[in-house]
Amino acid sequence: MYEIRTIGQPEASRAIEFIIAEATRRNKAAVIAVADAYGEIIAVMRMDRGSLASIKIAQHKAFTAAREGKPSKEIGNRVRSAESGFDIAYLADERFTGFGGGIPVMVEGRCAGAIAISGLPEAEDIEICQMAVDEVLRHLTGT
């Protein structure tokens, strides 16, 4: 028997609050999704003015990052690679996506969940999402 560490509602709330504050500071609106270690959604928040299309995209980014334990952008880069690319449909779940902005929360070398943002330019989705992951990890580790 083994135990799985997974982020929960307190970490999801912390990430969402952090992202809302940062996006608001930048005068932007986004959709935020947080998934547990299995890739299942804990929380979703669409900020006022956030894109409706981004709701599902953010959830898929979080799912992908948690299930693969890698940033969703990395999966996308592998799919698009001319030399080593593959059809993402082979991953057997329509929730997998290659859009950047989903980042796993790694605790002691294992994926404890993921945070994702959608609705901003991809580089900004990734930047703010990484900031939120770092904030959650600071809280979890006490550093």
Side-chain angles (χ1 to χ4, degrees), residues 8-50:
Q9 181 271 316
E11 293 80 25
S13 294
R14 181 175 290 276
I16 288 168
E17 289 172 16
F18 181 91
I19 293 166
I20 288 172
E22 182 61 23
T24 300
R25 187 185 71 74
R26 297 177 187 211
N27 197 30
K28 305 264 176 115
V31 176
I32 306 143
V34 182
D36 65 15
Y38 300 100
E40 299 305 325
I41 297 300
I42 298 169
V44 177
M45 171 63 70
R46 180 174 63 93
M47 295 175 64
D48 293 342
R49 300 181 294 117

mmCIF file of all heavy atoms in Angstrom, residues 8-50:
data_model
loop_
_atom_site.group_PDB
_atom_site.id
_atom_site.type_symbol
_atom_site.label_atom_id
_atom_site.label_comp_id
_atom_site.label_asym_id
_atom_site.label_seq_id
_atom_site.Cartn_x
_atom_site.Cartn_y
_atom_site.Cartn_z
ATOM 1 N N GLY A 8 -5.011 20.121 -2.171
ATOM 2 C CA GLY A 8 -6.444 20.143 -1.900
ATOM 3 C C GLY A 8 -7.010 21.544 -1.997
ATOM 4 O O GLY A 8 -6.391 22.448 -2.565
ATOM 5 N N GLN A 9 -8.170 21.713 -1.410
ATOM 6 C CA GLN A 9 -8.874 22.995 -1.479
ATOM 7 C C GLN A 9 -8.056 24.158 -0.916
ATOM 8 O O GLN A 9 -8.050 25.230 -1.513
ATOM 9 C CB GLN A 9 -10.234 22.863 -0.787
ATOM 10 C CG GLN A 9 -11.071 24.136 -0.816
ATOM 11 C CD GLN A 9 -10.782 25.023 0.383
ATOM 12 O OE1 GLN A 9 -10.684 24.550 1.504
ATOM 13 N NE2 GLN A 9 -10.654 26.309 0.138
ATOM 14 N N PRO A 10 -7.333 23.995 0.199
ATOM 15 C CA PRO A 10 -6.552 25.137 0.697
ATOM 16 C C PRO A 10 -5.499 25.620 -0.313
ATOM 17 O O PRO A 10 -5.333 26.829 -0.512
ATOM 18 C CB PRO A 10 -5.895 24.613 1.978
ATOM 19 C CG PRO A 10 -6.783 23.501 2.426
ATOM 20 C CD PRO A 10 -7.291 22.872 1.150
ATOM 21 N N GLU A 11 -4.829 24.676 -0.962
ATOM 22 C CA GLU A 11 -3.816 25.053 -1.963
ATOM 23 C C GLU A 11 -4.474 25.639 -3.207
ATOM 24 O O GLU A 11 -3.969 26.597 -3.799
ATOM 25 C CB GLU A 11 -2.959 23.843 -2.332
ATOM 26 C CG GLU A 11 -2.086 23.343 -1.203
ATOM 27 C CD GLU A 11 -2.825 22.478 -0.194
ATOM 28 O OE1 GLU A 11 -3.851 21.855 -0.544
ATOM 29 O OE2 GLU A 11 -2.358 22.429 0.960
ATOM 30 N N ALA A 12 -5.618 25.079 -3.593
ATOM 31 C CA ALA A 12 -6.351 25.615 -4.747
ATOM 32 C C ALA A 12 -6.772 27.056 -4.477
ATOM 33 O O ALA A 12 -6.608 27.937 -5.336
ATOM 34 C CB ALA A 12 -7.567 24.750 -5.062
ATOM 35 N N SER A 13 -7.292 27.303 -3.291
ATOM 36 C CA SER A 13 -7.717 28.664 -2.935
ATOM 37 C C SER A 13 -6.537 29.626 -2.932
ATOM 38 O O SER A 13 -6.641 30.751 -3.428
ATOM 39 C CB SER A 13 -8.381 28.673 -1.560
ATOM 40 O OG SER A 13 -9.587 27.954 -1.600
ATOM 41 N N ARG A 14 -5.409 29.189 -2.386
ATOM 42 C CA ARG A 14 -4.210 30.029 -2.353
ATOM 43 C C ARG A 14 -3.766 30.372 -3.782
ATOM 44 O O ARG A 14 -3.447 31.520 -4.076
ATOM 45 C CB ARG A 14 -3.087 29.326 -1.602
ATOM 46 C CG ARG A 14 -1.809 30.152 -1.491
ATOM 47 C CD ARG A 14 -0.778 29.452 -0.623
ATOM 48 N NE ARG A 14 -1.162 29.444 0.767
ATOM 49 C CZ ARG A 14 -0.953 30.438 1.624
ATOM 50 N NH1 ARG A 14 -0.372 31.534 1.224
ATOM 51 N NH2 ARG A 14 -1.330 30.325 2.879
ATOM 52 N N ALA A 15 -3.742 29.382 -4.654
ATOM 53 C CA ALA A 15 -3.320 29.615 -6.038
ATOM 54 C C ALA A 15 -4.277 30.570 -6.747
ATOM 55 O O ALA A 15 -3.840 31.500 -7.438
ATOM 56 C CB ALA A 15 -3.243 28.286 -6.794
ATOM 57 N N ILE A 16 -5.559 30.346 -6.580
ATOM 58 C CA ILE A 16 -6.555 31.195 -7.236
ATOM 59 C C ILE A 16 -6.445 32.632 -6.748
ATOM 60 O O ILE A 16 -6.423 33.573 -7.552
ATOM 61 C CB ILE A 16 -7.967 30.620 -7.042
ATOM 62 C CG1 ILE A 16 -8.133 29.352 -7.886
ATOM 63 C CG2 ILE A 16 -9.038 31.652 -7.384
ATOM 64 C CD1 ILE A 16 -9.371 28.545 -7.576
ATOM 65 N N GLU A 17 -6.348 32.817 -5.450
ATOM 66 C CA GLU A 17 -6.223 34.175 -4.906
ATOM 67 C C GLU A 17 -4.969 34.864 -5.424
ATOM 68 O O GLU A 17 -4.991 36.045 -5.773
ATOM 69 C CB GLU A 17 -6.219 34.129 -3.373
ATOM 70 C CG GLU A 17 -7.568 33.791 -2.788
ATOM 71 C CD GLU A 17 -7.525 33.544 -1.287
ATOM 72 O OE1 GLU A 17 -6.514 33.923 -0.635
ATOM 73 O OE2 GLU A 17 -8.499 32.980 -0.772
ATOM 74 N N PHE A 18 -3.864 34.124 -5.477
ATOM 75 C CA PHE A 18 -2.610 34.689 -5.969
ATOM 76 C C PHE A 18 -2.745 35.118 -7.426
ATOM 77 O O PHE A 18 -2.347 36.223 -7.800
ATOM 78 C CB PHE A 18 -1.477 33.657 -5.821
ATOM 79 C CG PHE A 18 -0.156 34.177 -6.291
ATOM 80 C CD1 PHE A 18 0.700 34.820 -5.406
ATOM 81 C CD2 PHE A 18 0.235 34.047 -7.610
ATOM 82 C CE1 PHE A 18 1.916 35.322 -5.839
ATOM 83 C CE2 PHE A 18 1.446 34.541 -8.058
ATOM 84 C CZ PHE A 18 2.293 35.178 -7.164
ATOM 85 N N ILE A 19 -3.320 34.242 -8.248
ATOM 86 C CA ILE A 19 -3.448 34.543 -9.676
ATOM 87 C C ILE A 19 -4.403 35.702 -9.910
ATOM 88 O O ILE A 19 -4.130 36.580 -10.743
ATOM 89 C CB ILE A 19 -3.866 33.285 -10.467
ATOM 90 C CG1 ILE A 19 -2.728 32.263 -10.425
ATOM 91 C CG2 ILE A 19 -4.253 33.634 -11.905
ATOM 92 C CD1 ILE A 19 -3.112 30.871 -10.858
ATOM 93 N N ILE A 20 -5.503 35.733 -9.195
ATOM 94 C CA ILE A 20 -6.440 36.856 -9.342
ATOM 95 C C ILE A 20 -5.737 38.173 -9.017
ATOM 96 O O ILE A 20 -5.874 39.159 -9.741
ATOM 97 C CB ILE A 20 -7.691 36.656 -8.467
ATOM 98 C CG1 ILE A 20 -8.560 35.551 -9.051
ATOM 99 C CG2 ILE A 20 -8.487 37.951 -8.338
ATOM 100 C CD1 ILE A 20 -9.714 35.138 -8.164
ATOM 101 N N ALA A 21 -4.973 38.188 -7.936
ATOM 102 C CA ALA A 21 -4.269 39.417 -7.551
ATOM 103 C C ALA A 21 -3.271 39.841 -8.623
ATOM 104 O O ALA A 21 -3.194 41.022 -8.971
ATOM 105 C CB ALA A 21 -3.570 39.221 -6.204
ATOM 106 N N GLU A 22 -2.519 38.880 -9.151
ATOM 107 C CA GLU A 22 -1.507 39.210 -10.162
ATOM 108 C C GLU A 22 -2.148 39.647 -11.473
ATOM 109 O O GLU A 22 -1.722 40.619 -12.104
ATOM 110 C CB GLU A 22 -0.571 38.019 -10.386
ATOM 111 C CG GLU A 22 0.546 38.282 -11.373
ATOM 112 C CD GLU A 22 1.508 39.394 -10.983
ATOM 113 O OE1 GLU A 22 1.631 39.714 -9.775
ATOM 114 O OE2 GLU A 22 2.150 39.959 -11.885
ATOM 115 N N ALA A 23 -3.178 38.942 -11.913
ATOM 116 C CA ALA A 23 -3.861 39.323 -13.151
ATOM 117 C C ALA A 23 -4.518 40.697 -13.006
ATOM 118 O O ALA A 23 -4.457 41.521 -13.926
ATOM 119 C CB ALA A 23 -4.893 38.266 -13.533
ATOM 120 N N THR A 24 -5.127 40.946 -11.869
ATOM 121 C CA THR A 24 -5.763 42.241 -11.624
ATOM 122 C C THR A 24 -4.719 43.352 -11.641
ATOM 123 O O THR A 24 -4.947 44.425 -12.209
ATOM 124 C CB THR A 24 -6.515 42.221 -10.277
ATOM 125 O OG1 THR A 24 -7.515 41.199 -10.348
ATOM 126 C CG2 THR A 24 -7.173 43.552 -9.980
ATOM 127 N N ARG A 25 -3.559 43.087 -11.026
ATOM 128 C CA ARG A 25 -2.474 44.069 -11.029
ATOM 129 C C ARG A 25 -2.064 44.417 -12.459
ATOM 130 O O ARG A 25 -1.735 45.561 -12.769
ATOM 131 C CB ARG A 25 -1.275 43.511 -10.252
ATOM 132 C CG ARG A 25 -0.138 44.512 -10.048
ATOM 133 C CD ARG A 25 1.059 43.869 -9.372
ATOM 134 N NE ARG A 25 1.780 42.941 -10.213
ATOM 135 C CZ ARG A 25 2.578 43.278 -11.224
ATOM 136 N NH1 ARG A 25 2.740 44.544 -11.544
ATOM 137 N NH2 ARG A 25 3.204 42.356 -11.928
ATOM 138 N N ARG A 26 -2.144 43.436 -13.348
ATOM 139 C CA ARG A 26 -1.775 43.640 -14.753
ATOM 140 C C ARG A 26 -2.963 44.106 -15.602
ATOM 141 O O ARG A 26 -2.845 44.217 -16.809
ATOM 142 C CB ARG A 26 -1.230 42.338 -15.329
ATOM 143 C CG ARG A 26 0.038 41.863 -14.669
ATOM 144 C CD ARG A 26 0.491 40.542 -15.238
ATOM 145 N NE ARG A 26 1.623 40.002 -14.503
ATOM 146 C CZ ARG A 26 2.556 39.247 -15.063
ATOM 147 N NH1 ARG A 26 2.504 38.931 -16.352
ATOM 148 N NH2 ARG A 26 3.554 38.788 -14.324
ATOM 149 N N ASN A 27 -4.112 44.305 -14.955
ATOM 150 C CA ASN A 27 -5.341 44.702 -15.655
ATOM 151 C C ASN A 27 -5.746 43.664 -16.708
ATOM 152 O O ASN A 27 -6.126 43.999 -17.824
ATOM 153 C CB ASN A 27 -5.207 46.098 -16.270
ATOM 154 C CG ASN A 27 -6.566 46.677 -16.619
ATOM 155 O OD1 ASN A 27 -7.576 46.374 -15.973
ATOM 156 N ND2 ASN A 27 -6.616 47.490 -17.657
ATOM 157 N N LYS A 28 -5.687 42.401 -16.318
ATOM 158 C CA LYS A 28 -6.022 41.285 -17.205
ATOM 159 C C LYS A 28 -7.068 40.414 -16.530
ATOM 160 O O LYS A 28 -7.288 40.503 -15.325
ATOM 161 C CB LYS A 28 -4.776 40.433 -17.486
ATOM 162 C CG LYS A 28 -3.590 41.204 -18.048
ATOM 163 C CD LYS A 28 -3.542 41.112 -19.533
ATOM 164 C CE LYS A 28 -2.418 41.944 -20.105
ATOM 165 N NZ LYS A 28 -1.397 41.186 -20.761
ATOM 166 N N ALA A 29 -7.696 39.559 -17.315
ATOM 167 C CA ALA A 29 -8.668 38.595 -16.805
ATOM 168 C C ALA A 29 -8.343 37.223 -17.383
ATOM 169 O O ALA A 29 -7.968 37.115 -18.552
ATOM 170 C CB ALA A 29 -10.083 39.007 -17.172
ATOM 171 N N ALA A 30 -8.501 36.198 -16.564
ATOM 172 C CA ALA A 30 -8.161 34.846 -16.996
ATOM 173 C C ALA A 30 -9.097 33.848 -16.344
ATOM 174 O O ALA A 30 -9.927 34.202 -15.506
ATOM 175 C CB ALA A 30 -6.716 34.533 -16.614
ATOM 176 N N VAL A 31 -8.928 32.603 -16.736
ATOM 177 C CA VAL A 31 -9.601 31.479 -16.092
ATOM 178 C C VAL A 31 -8.507 30.646 -15.428
ATOM 179 O O VAL A 31 -7.456 30.410 -16.018
ATOM 180 C CB VAL A 31 -10.398 30.627 -17.097
ATOM 181 C CG1 VAL A 31 -10.997 29.407 -16.412
ATOM 182 C CG2 VAL A 31 -11.474 31.458 -17.764
ATOM 183 N N ILE A 32 -8.784 30.211 -14.208
ATOM 184 C CA ILE A 32 -7.821 29.463 -13.418
ATOM 185 C C ILE A 32 -8.435 28.103 -13.104
ATOM 186 O O ILE A 32 -9.603 28.017 -12.733
ATOM 187 C CB ILE A 32 -7.522 30.202 -12.097
ATOM 188 C CG1 ILE A 32 -7.092 31.639 -12.368
ATOM 189 C CG2 ILE A 32 -6.480 29.451 -11.271
ATOM 190 C CD1 ILE A 32 -7.602 32.628 -11.356
ATOM 191 N N ALA A 33 -7.621 27.059 -13.242
ATOM 192 C CA ALA A 33 -8.068 25.715 -12.872
ATOM 193 C C ALA A 33 -6.988 25.057 -12.030
ATOM 194 O O ALA A 33 -5.796 25.221 -12.293
ATOM 195 C CB ALA A 33 -8.357 24.874 -14.110
ATOM 196 N N VAL A 34 -7.415 24.329 -11.013
ATOM 197 C CA VAL A 34 -6.491 23.598 -10.152
ATOM 198 C C VAL A 34 -6.962 22.144 -10.105
ATOM 199 O O VAL A 34 -8.145 21.871 -9.895
ATOM 200 C CB VAL A 34 -6.449 24.200 -8.733
ATOM 201 C CG1 VAL A 34 -5.436 23.463 -7.872
ATOM 202 C CG2 VAL A 34 -6.118 25.696 -8.784
ATOM 203 N N ALA A 35 -6.013 21.238 -10.314
ATOM 204 C CA ALA A 35 -6.323 19.804 -10.330
ATOM 205 C C ALA A 35 -5.532 19.082 -9.244
ATOM 206 O O ALA A 35 -4.448 19.522 -8.853
ATOM 207 C CB ALA A 35 -5.976 19.208 -11.698
ATOM 208 N N ASP A 36 -6.068 17.958 -8.798
ATOM 209 C CA ASP A 36 -5.373 17.132 -7.804
ATOM 210 C C ASP A 36 -4.331 16.255 -8.499
ATOM 211 O O ASP A 36 -4.088 16.390 -9.704
ATOM 212 C CB ASP A 36 -6.377 16.314 -6.990
ATOM 213 C CG ASP A 36 -7.136 15.274 -7.805
ATOM 214 O OD1 ASP A 36 -6.737 14.949 -8.957
ATOM 215 O OD2 ASP A 36 -8.145 14.763 -7.287
ATOM 216 N N ALA A 37 -3.726 15.363 -7.751
ATOM 217 C CA ALA A 37 -2.661 14.514 -8.289
ATOM 218 C C ALA A 37 -3.135 13.597 -9.418
ATOM 219 O O ALA A 37 -2.328 13.118 -10.214
ATOM 220 C CB ALA A 37 -2.053 13.675 -7.166
ATOM 221 N N TYR A 38 -4.430 13.359 -9.503
ATOM 222 C CA TYR A 38 -4.982 12.508 -10.557
ATOM 223 C C TYR A 38 -5.390 13.313 -11.792
ATOM 224 O O TYR A 38 -5.844 12.744 -12.783
ATOM 225 C CB TYR A 38 -6.204 11.752 -10.029
ATOM 226 C CG TYR A 38 -5.890 10.864 -8.854
ATOM 227 C CD1 TYR A 38 -6.186 11.281 -7.564
ATOM 228 C CD2 TYR A 38 -5.285 9.630 -9.034
ATOM 229 C CE1 TYR A 38 -5.889 10.474 -6.475
ATOM 230 C CE2 TYR A 38 -4.986 8.823 -7.950
ATOM 231 C CZ TYR A 38 -5.286 9.250 -6.673
ATOM 232 O OH TYR A 38 -4.984 8.452 -5.605
ATOM 233 N N GLY A 39 -5.299 14.633 -11.705
ATOM 234 C CA GLY A 39 -5.720 15.488 -12.813
ATOM 235 C C GLY A 39 -7.180 15.889 -12.733
ATOM 236 O O GLY A 39 -7.685 16.566 -13.623
ATOM 237 N N GLU A 40 -7.852 15.479 -11.674
ATOM 238 C CA GLU A 40 -9.264 15.830 -11.533
ATOM 239 C C GLU A 40 -9.387 17.220 -10.903
ATOM 240 O O GLU A 40 -8.627 17.585 -10.013
ATOM 241 C CB GLU A 40 -9.996 14.782 -10.710
ATOM 242 C CG GLU A 40 -9.972 13.391 -11.348
ATOM 243 C CD GLU A 40 -10.501 13.353 -12.774
ATOM 244 O OE1 GLU A 40 -11.442 14.090 -13.103
ATOM 245 O OE2 GLU A 40 -9.977 12.540 -13.566
ATOM 246 N N ILE A 41 -10.343 17.977 -11.360
ATOM 247 C CA ILE A 41 -10.478 19.378 -10.986
ATOM 248 C C ILE A 41 -10.914 19.540 -9.528
ATOM 249 O O ILE A 41 -11.881 18.930 -9.085
ATOM 250 C CB ILE A 41 -11.469 20.094 -11.933
ATOM 251 C CG1 ILE A 41 -10.930 20.075 -13.368
ATOM 252 C CG2 ILE A 41 -11.749 21.521 -11.465
ATOM 253 C CD1 ILE A 41 -9.590 20.752 -13.563
ATOM 254 N N ILE A 42 -10.175 20.397 -8.824
ATOM 255 C CA ILE A 42 -10.528 20.797 -7.461
ATOM 256 C C ILE A 42 -11.334 22.086 -7.524
ATOM 257 O O ILE A 42 -12.348 22.229 -6.849
ATOM 258 C CB ILE A 42 -9.268 21.031 -6.607
ATOM 259 C CG1 ILE A 42 -8.457 19.753 -6.484
ATOM 260 C CG2 ILE A 42 -9.647 21.594 -5.233
ATOM 261 C CD1 ILE A 42 -7.084 19.970 -5.883
ATOM 262 N N ALA A 43 -10.855 23.039 -8.346
ATOM 263 C CA ALA A 43 -11.511 24.348 -8.411
ATOM 264 C C ALA A 43 -11.270 24.998 -9.762
ATOM 265 O O ALA A 43 -10.224 24.792 -10.384
ATOM 266 C CB ALA A 43 -10.980 25.255 -7.309
ATOM 267 N N VAL A 44 -12.250 25.768 -10.191
ATOM 268 C CA VAL A 44 -12.149 26.586 -11.404
ATOM 269 C C VAL A 44 -12.706 27.958 -11.072
ATOM 270 O O VAL A 44 -13.743 28.062 -10.417
ATOM 271 C CB VAL A 44 -12.949 25.979 -12.586
ATOM 272 C CG1 VAL A 44 -12.894 26.890 -13.805
ATOM 273 C CG2 VAL A 44 -12.442 24.597 -12.923
ATOM 274 N N MET A 45 -12.015 28.992 -11.538
ATOM 275 C CA MET A 45 -12.483 30.359 -11.323
ATOM 276 C C MET A 45 -12.330 31.133 -12.636
ATOM 277 O O MET A 45 -11.248 31.181 -13.200
ATOM 278 C CB MET A 45 -11.663 31.047 -10.233
ATOM 279 C CG MET A 45 -11.931 32.534 -10.087
ATOM 280 S SD MET A 45 -13.609 32.945 -9.605
ATOM 281 C CE MET A 45 -13.617 32.376 -7.927
ATOM 282 N N ARG A 46 -13.447 31.675 -13.106
ATOM 283 C CA ARG A 46 -13.388 32.570 -14.270
ATOM 284 C C ARG A 46 -13.516 33.977 -13.716
ATOM 285 O O ARG A 46 -14.523 34.344 -13.122
ATOM 286 C CB ARG A 46 -14.511 32.294 -15.270
ATOM 287 C CG ARG A 46 -14.454 33.234 -16.492
ATOM 288 C CD ARG A 46 -15.467 32.869 -17.557
ATOM 289 N NE ARG A 46 -16.829 32.994 -17.112
ATOM 290 C CZ ARG A 46 -17.581 34.109 -17.270
ATOM 291 N NH1 ARG A 46 -17.070 35.183 -17.833
ATOM 292 N NH2 ARG A 46 -18.824 34.116 -16.859
ATOM 293 N N MET A 47 -12.457 34.746 -13.918
ATOM 294 C CA MET A 47 -12.485 36.135 -13.481
ATOM 295 C C MET A 47 -13.489 36.908 -14.326
ATOM 296 O O MET A 47 -13.789 36.511 -15.463
ATOM 297 C CB MET A 47 -11.092 36.771 -13.628
ATOM 298 C CG MET A 47 -10.033 36.161 -12.726
ATOM 299 S SD MET A 47 -8.383 36.843 -13.030
ATOM 300 C CE MET A 47 -8.630 38.558 -12.545
ATOM 301 N N ASP A 48 -14.017 37.994 -13.787
ATOM 302 C CA ASP A 48 -14.868 38.875 -14.591
ATOM 303 C C ASP A 48 -14.096 39.233 -15.853
ATOM 304 O O ASP A 48 -12.901 39.503 -15.798
ATOM 305 C CB ASP A 48 -15.208 40.153 -13.812
ATOM 306 C CG ASP A 48 -16.105 39.875 -12.615
ATOM 307 O OD1 ASP A 48 -16.727 38.799 -12.576
ATOM 308 O OD2 ASP A 48 -16.173 40.745 -11.727
ATOM 309 N N ARG A 49 -14.775 39.189 -16.981
ATOM 310 C CA ARG A 49 -14.196 39.432 -18.302
ATOM 311 C C ARG A 49 -13.363 38.257 -18.821
ATOM 312 O O ARG A 49 -12.798 38.324 -19.899
ATOM 313 C CB ARG A 49 -13.353 40.725 -18.362
ATOM 314 C CG ARG A 49 -14.103 41.994 -18.030
ATOM 315 C CD ARG A 49 -13.227 43.258 -18.115
ATOM 316 N NE ARG A 49 -12.189 43.243 -17.080
ATOM 317 C CZ ARG A 49 -10.872 43.208 -17.329
ATOM 318 N NH1 ARG A 49 -10.419 43.221 -18.556
ATOM 319 N NH2 ARG A 49 -10.004 43.196 -16.336
ATOM 320 N N GLY A 50 -13.276 37.177 -18.063
ATOM 321 C CA GLY A 50 -12.536 36.011 -18.532
ATOM 322 C C GLY A 50 -13.286 35.332 -19.665
ATOM 323 O O GLY A 50 -14.510 35.270 -19.678
#
